[in-house]
Amino acid sequence: MAGAPAIVDANRALQDRARAREDAAVRRPIVRFRGVKKAFGAMTVLEGIDLDLYPGEKVVVIGPSGSGKTTLARMLMTLETPSGGEIEVDGEPLFTMVRRGRRVPADERHLARVRGKIGMVFQHFNLFPHMTVLRNVTEALIHVRRIPPEEARRRTMAMLERVGMAEHADKYPAQLSGGQKQRVAIARALVMEPKVMLFDEPTSALDPELVGEVLAVIKEIAAKGDMAMLLITHEMQFAREIADRIVFIDGGKIVEQGPPEEVLLRPKSERLKAFLARFRNGMGLR
Amino acid sequence: MGDEWRWDVAWAAARKIAAVVPVTIAATVLGFVVAAAAGLAWTIARRSRSALVRGAVEAAMEFVRRTPLLVQLLFLYVAFPRLSVFAIGVIGLGLHYGAYLSEVYRAGIEAVDRGQWEAARALNFSRQKTWTRIILPQAIPPIVPMMGNYLIVLFKETPLLFAINVTEMMAVAKQFGSETFRYLEAFTVVGVFFFLMSYPASLVVRWLEARFGRAG
Ligand SMILES: Nc1ncnc2c1ncn2[C@@H]1O[C@H](COP(=O)(O)OP(=O)(O)OP(=O)(O)O)[C@@H](O)[C@H]1O
Ligand SMILES: [Mg+2]
């Protein structure tokens, strides 16, 4: 019989192709930085960043002060506009769009639509001081996502529970410690269900004894979510525990990247070695 | 006609002038509402992304602040003969003080931390909602005392409406004087009325300052 194996083969080929498509879909980056440049006036801060972030991936960005880590995150959040290159989110350019067959700078509607997939936690929390904890979190759900108030409240309380802030729902930010504020800020970003979360030094404005509670919350989120995370931090031990990949930026470029053990324990470049040397003491890095 | 103070005349003047106190108060309140709205609109327009809009608003405000209110009132009076004189008075006061209030709003808005704008953007608030729900609720409370001060200043400028034939306190006093030849009592009464209203208002402003603190 010559026909049957042929059909089986054809079937297998079809299945293989379907699986490959699925894999490709899974493996498609949620964020791609492609040759992204940024200059402030005459000062070039980033000179060509290529970086892919995959769904669910946790990438930690490290680098010396002034190397452009914050700028990188702020561009993805559309708080800054790149001077060159392009950022793609979910397969779609962020800062340009097609209008009448031509690629033009993105308008506010396009930015808003793509931006909805990104959330950000700031170094200085940036909570809304005139709103209670509860309203800080419900506000965008109700007025941006247009979720009915009752449902928004329910989701908010669940999220506050998760970050351990439910019993403080009726307080104002001024009544909270730094660590508590940052946990509320995390809940506020998370409740919007972004596909990518940005954390820009979420613990560096905190008193040392409050760092742990915030890092614990971030770890818990990282463990459960299929959300991609881009974290900027100087907490090397934390970076090592949470990261799938660590990216070292210096002089406006990605100098080295790879799995945490590789980057932190077997740095190749002199610049990364010098950078890590400053953290070696007391950081638990062998 | 004499120079001696006469209480009976003063009482008669007071009764006549009191009848138009509501006109003065209405002009003040409505003028201030227009000023508060125009000032806010200008302040927001001054932050427009279009350089043309920014330049035009800046120029208009500069013009309004560099020319006398009296001249502006007379100009509007002549330019818009179909409007009632009261409406012209309200609009004139409103635009003039709007230009000043715009500076006050600006101070309040600039005092709001930049991180608030960034958080609003990160959470994808529209431009309008960013203003109404995030920025203005923080920018306005600290400037309430300053706005109160301008309300009192505007109130004290309402006698200028007399120049465009609005029947307010000054106009009635002048008429009373020309009929009775007793200007002293009439004008004194106007002064006393202004004081009786603006002094308590200034106490309220002082209380607001203690409550909200100062800004600008
Ligand atoms: N809005 C701006 N205007 C001008 N220069 C800027 C602006 N924002 C950042 N810079 C400059 O760009 C450079 C990179 O800044 P960035 O904040 O991205 O560094 P960073 O890696 O986050 O540093 P740190 O570890 O200190 O937070 C710095 O030299 C900074 O002064
Ligand atoms: Mg930074």
Side-chain angles (χ1 to χ4, degrees):
Chain A
M1 301 283 278
I7 290 171
V8 171
D9 278 353
N11 261 338
R12 187 168 303 149
L14 268 177
Q15 279 168 7
D16 284 352
R17 231 176 304 154
R19 195 167 312 125
R21 260 203 312 274
E22 266 167 42
D23 282 356
V26 171
R27 291 300 298 166
R28 189 181 75 178
I30 182 74
V31 174
R32 305 195 77 168
F33 289 85
R34 304 212 303 185
V36 173
K37 300 189 174 97
K38 180 67 187 178
F40 293 104
M43 185 181 62
T44 299
V45 175
L46 294 171
E47 42 187 69
I49 298 287
D50 292 291
L51 177 66
D52 289 351
L53 191 63
Y54 288 88
E57 200 186 13
K58 322 300 175 203
V59 171
V60 169
V61 178
I62 59 173
S65 181
S67 57
K69 307 179 296 294
T70 295
T71 305
L72 194 69
R74 286 171 59 83
M75 284 192 290
L76 181 51
M77 195 67 260
T78 70
L79 299 173
E80 305 280 1
T81 312
S83 326
E86 178 59 282
I87 301 175
E88 281 175 18
V89 176
D90 225 352
E92 187 178 22
L94 176 53
F95 288 99
T96 61
M97 58 183 215
V98 176
R99 185 189 279 149
R100 287 190 221 99
R102 286 181 45 218
R103 212 150 252 300
V104 295
D107 61 14
E108 181 53 33
R109 251 183 76 204
H110 176 89
L111 288 177
R113 191 168 51 75
V114 182
R115 196 195 285 131
K117 298 174 183 175
I118 318 279
M120 183 159 180
V121 171
F122 298 87
Q123 187 174 350
H124 297 285
F125 333 125
N126 297 351
L127 291 181
F128 304 130
H130 58 301
M131 298 180 189
T132 60
V133 165
L134 182 79
R135 262 198 69 204
N136 260 279
V137 184
T138 56
E139 195 70 1
L141 274 183
I142 296 172
H143 295 284
V144 177
R145 295 272 311 272
R146 305 194 178 282
I147 308 261
E150 264 319 300
E151 170 67 10
R153 198 190 149 84
R154 201 186 56 71
R155 290 191 200 181
T156 293
M157 288 314 293
M159 196 56 76
L160 288 176
E161 200 72 62
R162 209 170 149 193
V163 300
M165 288 298 294
E167 78 250 45
H168 302 287
D170 295 325
K171 288 190 182 164
Y172 283 86
Q175 296 167 274
L176 305 178
S177 74
Q180 292 175 324
K181 282 183 200 168
Q182 195 59 300
R183 287 189 276 148
V184 173
I186 291 170
R188 183 177 71 170
L190 211 55
V191 83
M192 299 294 279
E193 300 171 328
K195 294 191 173 180
V196 182
M197 271 277 270
L198 307 175
F199 293 83
D200 184 10
E201 300 198 27
T203 59
S204 43
L206 301 178
D207 293 336
E209 72 273 19
L210 302 177
V211 168
E213 65 189 55
V214 172
L215 293 185
V217 164
I218 298 175
K219 272 188 218 160
E220 188 269 339
I221 292 162
K224 286 202 188 137
D226 52 352
M227 186 176 59
M229 287 167 52
L230 189 74
L231 304 109
I232 299 165
T233 184
H234 291 297
E235 301 282 340
M236 291 300 158
Q237 186 55 43
F238 168 70
R240 190 177 163 183
E241 287 166 24
I242 201 172
D244 297 314
R245 182 154 52 110
I246 294 188
V247 174
F248 172 62
I249 298 189
D250 193 11
K253 288 205 163 95
I254 295 180
V255 177
E256 241 183 283
Q257 60 175 309
E261 313 291 317
E262 283 296 312
V263 171
L264 296 179
L265 302 181
R266 286 180 290 283
K268 295 185 192 69
S269 64
E270 287 310 314
R271 280 196 281 180
L272 178 52
K273 282 178 194 162
F275 176 75
L276 290 175
R278 281 189 273 139
F279 288 96
R280 195 122 302 155
N281 300 329
M283 283 293 165
L285 295 171
R286 272 151 291 135
Chain B
M1 169 134 183
D3 291 320
E4 239 159 82
W5 176 265
R6 281 177 47 192
W7 283 105
D8 59 329
V9 175
W11 284 122
R15 262 198 303 281
K16 284 217 154 148
I17 292 166
V20 293
V21 163
V23 174
T24 296
I25 289 177
T28 303
V29 170
L30 293 176
F32 192 76
V33 168
V34 171
L40 183 59
W42 282 337
T43 310
I44 291 173
R46 281 163 93 183
R47 304 176 63 103
S48 161
R49 264 165 294 183
S50 149
L52 194 74
V53 171
R54 283 200 307 270
V57 171
E58 207 69 55
M61 284 195 11
E62 201 61 30
F63 182 80
V64 168
R65 275 186 287 143
R66 302 288 168 229
T67 52
L69 174 55
L70 180 59
V71 175
Q72 291 164 13
L73 286 170
L74 290 171
F75 168 80
L76 291 171
Y77 179 70
V78 178
F80 299 100
R82 319 246 316 253
L83 285 181
S84 77
V85 289
F86 182 77
I88 285 174
V90 165
I91 292 167
L93 285 168
L95 295 184
H96 190 82
Y97 283 93
Y100 286 96
L101 285 185
S102 175
E103 286 298 312
V104 178
Y105 282 119
R106 184 164 78 159
I109 288 162
E110 280 173 3
V112 175
D113 185 69
R114 210 167 58 105
Q116 295 293 305
W117 291 93
E118 296 185 344
R121 198 163 160 84
L123 290 165
N124 225 348
F125 282 96
S126 68
R127 209 173 140 70
Q128 185 230 322
K129 295 237 156 141
T130 300
W131 277 111
T132 57
R133 311 205 69 92
I134 316 284
I135 304 302
L136 292 179
Q138 296 181 63
I140 301 226
I143 61 170
V144 164
M146 284 281 275
M147 295 188 62
N149 274 326
Y150 274 106
L151 174 65
I152 295 172
V153 175
L154 184 151
F155 169 65
K156 288 193 294 177
E157 293 275 60
T158 53
L160 285 176
L161 301 189
F162 160 56
I164 56 168
N165 298 332
V166 175
T167 319
E168 46 67 71
M169 294 198 282
M170 202 57 203
V172 172
K174 177 93 190 307
Q175 202 195 341
F176 181 89
S178 68
E179 282 164 12
T180 59
F181 304 103
R182 302 290 309 184
Y183 286 98
L184 177 66
E185 287 83 356
F187 290 158
T188 306
V189 164
V190 172
V192 168
F193 275 15
F194 269 104
F195 180 78
L196 287 180
M197 288 186 274
S198 67
Y199 184 68
S202 74
L203 293 182
V204 171
V205 168
R206 221 172 289 168
W207 176 79
L208 288 172
E209 261 164 17
R211 176 115 204 281
F212 291 106
R214 292 190 94 108

